[in-house]
Amino acid sequence: MTANHLDASQFTANQHFTADIVIIGSGAGGGIAAEQLTNAGFNVLLLEEGAYYRSNDFVMEERWAYPNLYQEGAARKTQDKSIGILQGRTVGGSTTVNWTTSIRTPPSTLDYWHSEFGLNFTGENDLAPFFQHAEQRLSIQPWPVPPNANNAKLQQGCEALGWQYTVINRNVNGCANLGYCGMGCPINAKQSMLVSTIPTALSNGARLISRLSVRKLLWQDHQVTGLEAVPVDAHFQPRSDIKVTIAATHYIVAGGAIGSAALLLRSAVPNPSGRLGKHTYLHPTVISGALFADDINGHSGAPQSIYSDQFVWPRDNNVAGYKLEVPPIHPVLMATKLIGTGEAHAALMAQLNKLQVCIALQRDGFHPESQGGTVLLDAQQQPVLDYPITDYMWQGMRQALLSMAELQFAAGAKQVLPIHHDAKLYSSLPEAKAAIEQLPMVKLRQTVVSAHVMGGCNMSVNANNGVVKQNGRHHQLQNLSVFDGSILPTSLGANPQLTIFALIWRNCQLLIKELM
Amino acid sequence: MDRRQFIFRGLALGISASLGITGWQYYASESDSNRDWVLSALLPALLYGALPKDTTLAQHELARTQTAITDFMPYLPVSQQQELADLFALLANRISQLALSGHITALPQLSVNQRLALLASWRDSYLLVLQQAYHGLRELLYGAYYGQPEHWLPITYTAPKFC
């Protein structure tokens, strides 16, 4: 056990703590905040529902990583089970398990926020200095190593078709190109919150309590007055036998999209805009597999090093935009997504090392028929996301399947397999196109996944159009901030961690000025 | 009881009633045996083609997978654990199974093809809960099987020996 760390699952009696600032959640938002606020001299208490696992625990096996490092054992689903969601739940949050892709907020996204939500990130509000701070702090730079074959096929397909592509910036230092970022970096190369800002915060005097689930904020007269929490059990289920109470001067909710909204819903905080928990975005993602003659070995090497924005900002806004990337190819991740059963499934798995996989992440939240999902609470007061997929979105996904098939054949694929339960391996682009045009785009036939959860506590200038102000401060409760991806008013059209780092870095500086 | 539990139990009761049988009941205490019974029947079918030909080796792999499923399930949200328990109870009940599969034979006595056909019928069912059951079981079972390093030889996957 590290000094300044308490494991709440070891508590044997009720506990009470006090602090200047309590931060609920230790991911991209909470981790940045912990370092910034302790650097400024505040007494910070950092709370995390997950466990405090570190590099020695990261054994590069999915069977350990998914139940121990991910929300709901990496089996989180939307309410109708039609979208699978990968989201971290461990000290460091999703930064501990993400694939290190670090992209600044697209200017078109910031322009949309300005026009729709009055959010101005130009002039003195420019995020550029904070992107630079985060990039320097977390060793974010273009990946200098040639892409692995999985990413190289994405690049080659783009080159063959004249499509745009970019070498990805990654937050790594001393990366050995192993390919197991999603299971926790075993050599501390990934500059997640776990190995960067949180250790600094702890050395600055912050206290970390892990395996603690915050159940409710107490408030009255526009002020949060305390919070109630419980330890979780060995399987991360909230316990009822011990109660933890915490009082602080300022409260920062940073439980990630879905989690933060759920806490505020449980707390029945003022919600005059009616937007709390609503407009939660996922970058709904469809998948296309391809078999190549040569080995791909998509489990080895940096999981993401190339992306393509060829289709992310179509000129016609009635066409859904999507970003092209690749995922790492590990047995559980693939076995659960590849289609079929029995011999057919086994035959696909036997070709795992020749499998190349593309993913298309839809940019949701920019169209009237793409307004995201709503966080609800189940009988245990745990969050469930209701995320309807509209016809506009389904047609965008069909187009994405067509694009990925075209790219994979252009890169030399022998066969392409859209991950749809009515699809099969297709041996030519015309055959694949004809089949994809006919696939029924309906839930639980078309596989949809997500690794980016955003929104639900959106920022806005006007209190009737959001949950928090542009600086992350709650519109109604004066000593409450929300500092995580839940404040994004739409999805990003880019992987979210760098946006969250910069936005929260900026918001912390504003908060420090106000609290000093 | 939430909507899904209501549907599952309603389905089972409806099936029983349509056959003139009353008294379908679900006992939570039976959930472990229901689960084991159903997994013993479905795993060999889903994993047909992946399991080794050697019967003894195959039994070891099946047992290892079943243990992995049992170990993993407590990490799921309580609501999902309950849904799975309801599904296993439904499948373990001979009467409801008859209506679902069209076979009077108990699930473990069906051929592999009959078991796969049963799963395919859920995938294609007009009932959302059966579609969800197909996908939920499929992910749970395949995830448990392919999570075991002992099962990686046929897919020639090796994790680096780094630690």
Side-chain angles (χ1 to χ4, degrees):
Chain A
M1 176 159 309
T2 303
N4 294 357
H5 168 235
L6 295 171
D7 179 344
S9 68
Q10 303 300 309
F11 292 166
T12 54
N14 292 347
Q15 304 279 329
H16 179 73
F17 298 90
T18 59
D20 293 337
I21 300 174
V22 61
I23 303 172
I24 303 156
S26 66
I32 290 287
E35 181 176 65
Q36 293 297 308
L37 296 167
T38 55
N39 280 346
F42 289 100
N43 174 2
V44 167
L45 187 55
L46 180 61
L47 312 180
E48 169 56 48
E49 187 175 40
Y52 191 17
Y53 290 120
R54 278 152 286 182
S55 57
N56 286 344
D57 300 304
F58 301 150
V59 293
M60 295 186 285
E61 287 187 4
E62 292 171 287
R63 65 176 174 177
W64 181 85
Y66 295 158
N68 287 294
L69 302 180
Y70 285 77
Q71 292 283 357
E72 302 177 20
R76 174 167 267 183
K77 297 277 191 296
T78 51
Q79 187 180 37
D80 63 7
K81 317 282 196 242
S82 63
I83 307 177
I85 299 171
L86 291 177
Q87 194 173 16
R89 186 218 46 228
T90 187
V91 171
S94 290
T95 72
T96 300
V97 293
N98 71 16
W99 302 335
T100 74
T101 298
S102 306
I103 304 171
R104 293 188 178 193
T105 319
S108 299
T109 300
L110 295 174
D111 290 345
Y112 187 82
W113 292 355
H114 193 187
S115 65
E116 296 296 317
F117 299 91
L119 301 164
N120 184 356
F121 285 104
T122 61
E124 64 177 9
N125 296 326
D126 194 351
L127 286 172
F130 299 98
F131 287 132
Q132 290 168 5
H133 292 327
E135 287 161 351
Q136 188 171 9
R137 174 70 182 91
L138 302 170
S139 301
I140 293 172
Q141 51 196 326
W143 180 232
V145 176
N148 71 1
N150 198 31
N151 282 275
K153 295 300 179 189
L154 173 57
Q155 178 177 340
Q156 289 161 18
C158 286
E159 287 172 340
L161 295 165
W163 292 358
Q164 187 279 341
Y165 71 89
T166 301
V167 174
I168 285 177
N169 288 4
R170 306 181 63 222
N171 58 320
V172 294
N173 184 9
C175 175
N177 209 18
L178 295 172
Y180 289 74
C181 311
M183 302 172 216
C185 180
I187 57 170
N188 287 338
K190 175 165 49 173
Q191 297 303 291
S192 64
M193 300 297 96
L194 176 69
V195 304
S196 58
T197 57
I198 291 172
T200 301
L202 293 177
S203 68
N204 285 344
R207 291 163 292 160
L208 166 66
I209 307 179
S210 62
R211 292 185 185 268
L212 186 73
S213 176
V214 178
R215 308 308 299 168
K216 194 174 187 181
L217 298 177
L218 308 172
W219 60 274
Q220 62 178 13
D221 300 332
H222 305 292
Q223 291 283 327
V224 179
T225 56
L227 67 80
E228 294 176 350
V230 297
V232 295
D233 67 15
H235 302 103
F236 301 96
Q237 309 290 355
R239 285 163 45 181
S240 56
D241 55 332
I242 288 176
K243 192 169 171 180
V244 176
T245 52
I246 295 170
T249 306
H250 195 86
Y251 296 78
I252 294 176
V253 174
I258 297 180
S260 287
L263 171 58
L264 297 183
L265 286 168
R266 284 196 297 266
S267 309
V269 300
N271 180 27
S273 71
R275 292 180 69 97
L276 176 58
K278 295 180 179 169
H279 305 282
T280 299
Y281 297 104
L282 292 175
H283 281 160
T285 298
V286 291
I287 309 167
S288 184
L291 291 173
F292 283 75
D294 41 342
D295 280 347
I296 299 296
N297 292 324
H299 51 83
S300 178
Q304 293 190 320
S305 52
I306 302 290
Y307 68 78
S308 171
D309 274 355
Q310 179 68 27
F311 301 103
V312 77
W313 298 102
R315 287 184 181 167
D316 180 358
N317 192 42
N318 287 315
V319 177
Y322 48 90
K323 188 180 194 74
L324 298 178
E325 298 181 344
V326 307
I329 300 177
H330 294 290
V332 173
L333 213 51
M334 286 301 113
T336 54
K337 295 295 169 286
L338 287 175
I339 58 177
T341 54
E343 282 184 304
H345 186 271
L348 287 172
M349 285 301 292
Q351 300 177 84
L352 188 75
N353 285 338
K354 295 193 180 299
L355 185 68
Q356 193 272 341
V357 179
C358 281
I359 52 177
L361 298 74
Q362 190 168 108
R363 179 175 51 79
D364 50 345
F366 294 79
H367 187 275
E369 288 190 46
S370 179
Q371 289 298 302
T374 300
V375 177
L376 308 170
L377 299 174
D378 70 11
Q380 287 76 37
Q381 295 291 292
Q382 295 292 79
V384 182
L385 180 65
D386 175 26
Y387 190 108
I389 304 178
T390 64
D391 188 57
Y392 161 86
M393 300 177 70
W394 284 127
Q395 293 317 313
M397 291 180 195
R398 187 193 302 281
Q399 197 57 43
L401 291 178
L402 289 166
S403 298
M404 291 190 287
E406 185 176 5
L407 180 140
Q408 288 167 317
F409 278 118
K414 298 299 178 191
Q415 292 179 298
V416 166
L417 176 68
I419 303 301
H420 181 296
H421 287 273
D422 292 327
K424 60 186 181 73
L425 284 162
Y426 305 113
S427 299
S428 71
L429 181 57
E431 184 191 13
K433 276 187 167 176
I436 291 169
E437 292 286 6
Q438 298 302 316
L439 289 174
M441 299 303 285
V442 293
K443 63 185 177 186
L444 299 174
R445 307 299 290 190
Q446 171 60 57
T447 298
V448 184
V449 298
S450 167
H452 302 155
V453 193
M454 299 154 282
C457 303
N458 78 276
M459 55 180 161
S460 66
V461 169
N462 193 321
N464 64 20
N465 199 24
V467 176
V468 299
K469 303 172 189 172
Q470 182 165 342
N471 62 5
R473 301 287 291 268
H474 194 263
H475 273 302
Q476 287 79 35
L477 297 178
Q478 292 161 358
N479 61 340
L480 173 64
S481 297
V482 182
F483 279 3
D484 61 20
S486 71
I487 68 174
L488 305 180
T490 62
S491 77
L492 294 168
N495 304 45
Q497 71 167 349
L498 182 52
T499 293
I500 300 169
F501 295 150
L503 201 53
I504 302 312
W505 196 309
R506 173 183 177 275
N507 289 350
C508 282
Q509 294 306 310
L510 296 171
L511 179 64
I512 289 165
K513 284 181 191 165
E514 290 169 0
L515 295 181
M516 285 294 199
Chain B
M1 185 182 292
D2 66 15
R3 181 173 170 275
R4 184 180 316 278
Q5 290 170 308
F6 179 80
I7 292 171
F8 270 143
R9 292 173 194 181
L11 187 62
L13 287 166
I15 290 163
S16 303
S18 69
L19 296 169
I21 296 167
T22 57
W24 187 92
Q25 285 184 304
Y26 163 70
Y27 298 103
S29 60
E30 294 176 354
S31 62
D32 286 356
S33 60
N34 288 338
R35 180 197 61 221
D36 293 345
W37 193 85
V38 171
L39 291 178
S40 298
L42 293 184
L43 273 171
L46 268 179
L47 296 173
Y48 188 71
L51 291 170
K53 302 286 183 211
D54 182 282
T55 310
T56 306
L57 286 177
Q59 287 303 324
H60 284 310
E61 293 199 357
L62 288 168
R64 196 179 290 120
T65 305
Q66 201 150 331
T67 300
I69 293 167
T70 307
D71 291 346
F72 176 76
M73 281 181 55
Y75 290 92
L76 294 171
V78 170
S79 58
Q80 279 190 43
Q81 293 181 43
Q82 185 59 56
E83 288 168 14
L84 281 168
D86 284 345
L87 176 64
F88 291 141
L90 185 66
L91 289 170
N93 179 277
R94 291 282 293 273
I95 305 305
S96 52
Q97 187 210 310
L98 167 63
L100 284 173
S101 69
H103 296 281
I104 191 69
T105 317
L107 201 53
Q109 272 72 57
L110 297 179
S111 70
V112 164
N113 282 339
Q114 286 171 320
R115 287 180 238 180
L116 290 174
L118 171 63
L119 289 169
S121 74
W122 299 351
R123 182 193 64 200
D124 300 334
S125 171
Y126 67 93
L127 285 172
L128 183 62
V129 286
L130 288 181
Q131 295 175 37
Q132 292 168 335
Y134 169 81
H135 292 289
L137 280 177
R138 199 177 162 283
E139 286 202 16
L140 181 67
L141 274 52
Y142 278 138
Y145 179 77
Y146 284 104
Q148 311 310 311
E150 296 90 341
H151 304 169
W152 291 343
L153 191 59
I155 61 172
T156 57
Y157 172 87
T158 49
K161 301 291 182 194
F162 195 85
C163 291

